[in-house]
Amino acid sequence: MTPTLNPNLLLWVPLAPLVGCILAGLFGKLIGRRGAHTVTILGVAVAAVLSLLTLQDVLAGARFNATIYEWMVIGGLKMEVGFLVDGLTAMMMVVVTSVSLMVHLYTIGYMADDPGYQRFFSYISLFTFSMLMLVMSNNLLQLFFGWEAVGLVSYLLIGFWFKKPTAIFANMKAFLVNRVGDFGFILGIGLLVAYGGSLNYTELFAKKDMLAQIAFPSPLWGGEWMLITVICICLFIGAMGKSAQFPLHVWLPDSMEGPTPISALIHAATMVTAGIFMVARMSPLFELSDTALNFVLVIGSITALFMGFLGIIQNDIKRVVAYSTLSQLGYMTVALGVSAYSVAVFHLMTHAFFKALLFLAAGSVIIGMHHDQDIRNMGGLRKYMRITWITSLIGSLALIGTPFLSGFYSKDSIIEAVHGSHLPGAGFATLAVTAGVFITAFYSFRMYFLVFHGPERFRHKPFPGEHDHHDDHHGHDAEPHESPWVVWVPLAALAVPSLFVGYFTIGPMVHGDFFADAITVNTAAHGAMLVLKEHFHSAAAMGMHAFTTLPFWLALAGVATAYLFYIVKPEIPAAFARVLRPLIVVGENKYYLDWFNENVLARGARLLGVGLWKGGDTVLIDGLVVNGSAKAVGILAKLGRLAQTGRLTAYALAMIVGIVGLMSWKLWPYIEPQLKTLTGA
């Protein structure tokens, strides 16, 4: 017998964290620190348990798609709160709540001395509520609510230390860049509502063939634009902002100014994956436009490759992991572009665990290093921070795609899927994701070796690396130490799925029917998934076969190169830094995209605004139309006053002249022929 999903229990999945958020936020001083973390952790724990129960029922065949509350109806357009629970939703619910629960526990130790303790717990619980509303939605209105709510909480958390100027700059940057993406997103939603007449996913997908037939003249050049292509590109622009795809990625590295727990929760595991989730949910629409899919593929390829390059030259431990996140989000986007949606969300899931692990491990290192984040000031931490060391190693091995670990199954599936695509951008995508394997392994183990192995540079020992010319080494007299149990227990808990979840889930999620009713793929036109299924036999066989494949040897080469450069011969990167200085300068300036945004786009927009203000508003509207019309009336009034003499004879003369003039004008057609006759003209 197929189980059914109880809507009342489903409602408590997002509401339980919201209750914790309200109690910690409004009554934080009353209930104290212990009370704040107790109610928020309890709320997220309830959501996590209910999510696991929901997943269990979904695996048994249960589904749910219904309205919970109807807000209002405008001209037949229903605005409502509703849930759609299928394989995709259930997986996202478990990922969001489990990672959030680990982050909540970790925060007890990391934020122990922070005066904003209760406020922080309130914010991260509010984020959990917002993300759950996003992934559980069955309509575009609720999706957009969750979309904007996670953006709001991200803004609040990046700028959590609001007395820190760099944090305030970073949260404003994130807010503004995401407004660009959200402008495209709301245009896509508006077009769907205008032509589809509904906000509900099921109703819109039922009209997809009709939407695919609509075209309109191009406003820029000859020919026609297909409506479905415009809709999908607009929706994906929203995903570019939220999921930090080139060129709207610039906000995510700066978001590291916020406390480390939010880097793990928001900017690695959950919020930045919202765009990936949204495109996968909209797969019935994206499958109708090869142009949109190719756009997605190229953007993802650029992000995967070029953000990886930037990870190589970072020295802040959190920024290395941040650029790794950007690159991995690019991998997910590439999978979306080749119609391997299930592979994209599979990588989303595995990546959420090992990237949250890496961020929280970085936070543990920061605690142990007395809040120094520069990896050039570390080294030899393995013997001081054993648990952080081994969990970091597990996270790094999963990230680079070590056979049998979770990251291997998802990343290699993406690379294989790209080989099966025939889109125009597939060639470049193949190069990007294949080269990205070496780059990922190199920067990951560059960080790992510099932090946990080699000389103990925190004891004021000089490091003969590539940045010796900088004088920003500030060692520490106090020895590093392992973090408290509330910090390392979440690390150990996240290490387990980082090791095993890929092995046990690749079968049903990628090659089975777990996402069958959630994701639509036109395999006749986009055959990447057919290629994957043809070559897959079992998770064990895939792991064994990996040792003969190019990605494995590229990953091994990346690790070996990092070991040679930073343990055996640290003078080599110094030599490379001198030879490749122009390229490094470009990388240090992040391809000058920040400069372009601030000096060209921002200043250009400001100049345009000033021109419209002074030229349009001040001169044209205020000066000419408003004040000009008033002045014209004043001038006419002055002229009128000149005629008002107060003398009766002057008025009589004016009347006589007027009458004569009027009569002459009226009688002229009769007088003119007589005058011509008299004069002989």
Side-chain angles (χ1 to χ4, degrees), residues 219-461:
L220 300 179
W221 53 79
E224 291 183 327
W225 283 0
M226 298 305 296
L227 174 68
I228 196 70
T229 297
V230 176
I231 288 173
C232 291
I233 289 177
C234 286
L235 292 175
F236 180 67
I237 289 172
M240 286 169 63
K242 197 66 71 187
S243 293
Q245 295 298 290
F246 177 91
L248 301 182
H249 68 278
V250 292
W251 65 272
L252 194 141
D254 288 348
S255 72
M256 298 302 108
E257 293 292 336
T260 299
I262 66 121
S263 300
L265 178 62
I266 294 182
H267 305 126
T270 51
M271 187 192 86
V272 292
T273 61
I276 308 299
F277 165 81
M278 183 270 292
V279 175
R281 177 62 78 196
M282 296 293 155
S283 61
L285 303 180
F286 277 84
E287 280 301 284
L288 300 173
S289 174
D290 281 9
T291 303
L293 286 174
N294 201 64
F295 180 72
V296 172
L297 178 61
V298 171
I299 293 295
S301 303
I302 293 171
T303 308
L305 181 62
F306 289 95
M307 296 306 107
F309 284 137
L310 294 186
I312 295 173
I313 62 172
Q314 302 302 312
N315 295 308
D316 183 307
I317 188 169
K318 284 173 64 177
R319 285 182 181 264
V320 177
V321 187
Y323 278 106
S324 168
T325 300
L326 284 170
S327 181
Q328 295 306 305
L329 288 166
Y331 272 85
M332 297 175 209
T333 305
V334 165
L336 296 173
V338 297
S339 298
Y341 305 98
S342 58
V343 178
V345 294
F346 179 52
H347 192 52
L348 180 161
M349 179 194 70
T350 61
H351 175 264
F353 292 117
F354 61 73
K355 188 53 62 69
L357 169 60
L358 284 171
F359 261 120
L360 296 184
S364 179
V365 169
I366 292 168
I367 294 171
M369 288 296 296
H370 311 284
H371 292 276
D372 183 2
Q373 298 182 193
D374 194 328
I375 59 177
R376 296 169 298 179
N377 301 332
M378 301 178 188
L381 296 185
R382 180 181 60 168
K383 68 179 183 180
Y384 300 100
M385 308 179 73
R386 290 283 183 180
I387 299 174
T388 303
W389 161 64
I390 193 66
T391 51
S392 293
L393 178 59
I394 290 170
S396 298
L397 289 172
L399 172 61
I400 70 171
T402 305
F404 296 102
L405 272 67
S406 295
F408 155 74
Y409 289 102
S410 52
K411 181 185 270 190
D412 272 41
S413 294
I414 292 173
I415 296 170
E416 190 70 25
V418 174
H419 285 294
S421 174
H422 300 291
L423 291 175
F428 172 60
T430 301
L431 172 65
V433 296
T434 306
V437 174
F438 174 85
I439 296 166
T440 302
F442 180 75
Y443 67 64
S444 298
F445 275 83
R446 170 183 179 265
M447 179 180 74
Y448 170 77
F449 289 132
L450 287 178
V451 171
F452 294 105
H453 294 271
E456 299 175 358
R457 292 179 295 278
F458 52 86
R459 296 185 182 279
H460 300 281
K461 292 181 180 180

Side-chain angles (χ1 to χ4, degrees), residues 140 144 147-148 178-196 198-199 204 211 216 225 227-239 278 285:
L140 291 170
F144 191 70
W147 192 272
E148 293 302 310
N178 273 279
R179 295 292 69 72
V180 176
D182 291 352
F183 178 68
F185 191 45
I186 197 71
L187 284 178
I189 292 175
L191 287 169
L192 278 173
V193 172
Y195 287 91
S198 177
L199 288 161
L204 287 171
L211 293 172
F216 54 89
W225 283 0
L227 174 68
I228 196 70
T229 297
V230 176
I231 288 173
C232 291
I233 289 177
C234 286
L235 292 175
F236 180 67
I237 289 172
M278 183 270 292
L285 303 180

Side-chain angles (χ1 to χ4, degrees), residues 14-215:
L15 285 185
L18 181 63
V19 171
C21 159
I22 293 171
L23 291 174
L26 298 182
F27 307 103
K29 288 186 178 180
L30 185 65
I31 62 178
R33 290 182 166 227
R34 182 182 294 273
H37 72 235
T38 300
V39 295
T40 52
I41 290 172
L42 184 62
V44 175
V46 168
V49 171
L50 292 176
S51 297
L52 285 170
L53 293 174
T54 301
L55 176 63
Q56 185 179 19
D57 289 342
V58 167
L59 287 170
R63 296 292 185 270
F64 184 88
N65 183 12
T67 298
I68 302 296
Y69 170 72
E70 190 174 278
W71 179 27
M72 60 179 168
V73 179
I74 302 177
L77 184 66
K78 294 181 180 179
M79 299 186 178
E80 53 197 15
V81 176
F83 293 152
L84 168 60
V85 180
D86 52 19
L88 180 59
T89 303
M91 182 274 293
M92 289 297 295
M93 288 165 64
V94 171
V95 169
V96 170
T97 54
S98 58
V99 173
S100 180
L101 181 60
M102 293 301 102
V103 170
H104 275 70
L105 289 170
Y106 178 94
T107 299
I108 296 174
Y110 194 88
M111 302 294 286
D113 301 322
D114 197 282
Y117 191 83
Q118 293 98 315
R119 179 165 59 95
F120 190 86
F121 273 97
S122 177
Y123 285 172
I124 56 177
S125 283
L126 179 60
F127 169 79
T128 308
F129 159 75
S130 304
M131 191 69 192
L132 286 168
M133 288 294 284
L134 188 158
V135 301
M136 295 175 70
S137 170
N138 73 344
N139 63 85
L140 291 170
L141 180 68
Q142 186 178 326
L143 173 74
F144 191 70
F145 163 78
W147 192 272
E148 293 302 310
V150 293
L152 168 66
V153 182
S154 175
Y155 169 83
L156 293 172
L157 284 167
I158 295 170
F160 182 79
W161 290 319
F162 52 83
K163 294 183 180 179
K164 187 179 176 184
T166 52
I168 298 303
F169 178 83
N171 76 345
M172 184 57 70
K173 184 176 182 179
F175 185 83
L176 291 175
V177 172
N178 273 279
R179 295 292 69 72
V180 176
D182 291 352
F183 178 68
F185 191 45
I186 197 71
L187 284 178
I189 292 175
L191 287 169
L192 278 173
V193 172
Y195 287 91
S198 177
L199 288 161
N200 187 276
Y201 297 158
T202 306
E203 294 175 9
L204 287 171
F205 296 158
K207 299 177 181 178
K208 63 179 184 178
D209 293 328
M210 179 270 288
L211 293 172
Q213 302 302 316
I214 301 174

Side-chain angles (χ1 to χ4, degrees), residues 358-609:
L358 284 171
F359 261 120
L360 296 184
S364 179
V365 169
I366 292 168
I367 294 171
M369 288 296 296
H370 311 284
H371 292 276
D372 183 2
Q373 298 182 193
D374 194 328
I375 59 177
R376 296 169 298 179
N377 301 332
M378 301 178 188
L381 296 185
R382 180 181 60 168
K383 68 179 183 180
Y384 300 100
M385 308 179 73
R386 290 283 183 180
I387 299 174
T388 303
W389 161 64
I390 193 66
T391 51
S392 293
L393 178 59
I394 290 170
S396 298
L397 289 172
L399 172 61
I400 70 171
T402 305
F404 296 102
L405 272 67
S406 295
F408 155 74
Y409 289 102
S410 52
K411 181 185 270 190
D412 272 41
S413 294
I414 292 173
I415 296 170
E416 190 70 25
V418 174
H419 285 294
S421 174
H422 300 291
L423 291 175
F428 172 60
T430 301
L431 172 65
V433 296
T434 306
V437 174
F438 174 85
I439 296 166
T440 302
F442 180 75
Y443 67 64
S444 298
F445 275 83
R446 170 183 179 265
M447 179 180 74
Y448 170 77
F449 289 132
L450 287 178
V451 171
F452 294 105
H453 294 271
E456 299 175 358
R457 292 179 295 278
F458 52 86
R459 296 185 182 279
H460 300 281
K461 292 181 180 180
F463 174 56
E466 70 268 43
H467 290 281
D468 277 354
H469 56 282
H470 289 289
D471 59 354
D472 53 359
H473 292 255
H474 35 275
H476 304 282
D477 296 321
E479 283 191 348
H481 55 84
E482 186 57 88
S483 301
W485 72 269
V486 288
V487 171
W488 65 255
V489 164
L491 297 183
L494 288 167
V496 175
S498 299
L499 285 168
F500 303 116
V501 75
Y503 182 91
F504 291 107
T505 58
I506 185 172
M509 288 183 68
V510 176
H511 303 288
D513 58 358
F514 184 71
F515 295 127
D517 56 348
I519 289 171
T520 299
V521 180
N522 179 7
T523 52
H526 311 125
M529 290 306 296
L530 293 178
V531 173
L532 273 181
K533 291 179 188 296
E534 182 184 341
H535 292 93
F536 180 78
H537 302 290
S538 68
M542 183 177 175
M544 292 303 298
H545 175 68
F547 295 102
T548 63
T549 62
L550 179 61
F552 170 76
W553 292 103
L554 286 173
L556 186 62
V559 174
T561 305
Y563 183 79
L564 174 66
F565 279 20
Y566 296 98
I567 299 297
V568 180
K569 294 283 187 181
E571 62 272 11
I572 294 178
F576 271 110
R578 289 190 295 270
V579 174
L580 302 176
R581 189 63 194 159
L583 291 177
I584 292 175
V585 169
V586 171
E588 288 173 343
N589 286 280
K590 296 176 278 190
Y591 305 124
Y592 293 98
L593 282 171
D594 283 340
W595 177 90
F596 179 80
N597 290 336
E598 292 168 18
N599 293 282
V600 178
L601 292 183
R603 285 191 179 183
R606 184 181 175 86
L607 287 173
L608 177 62

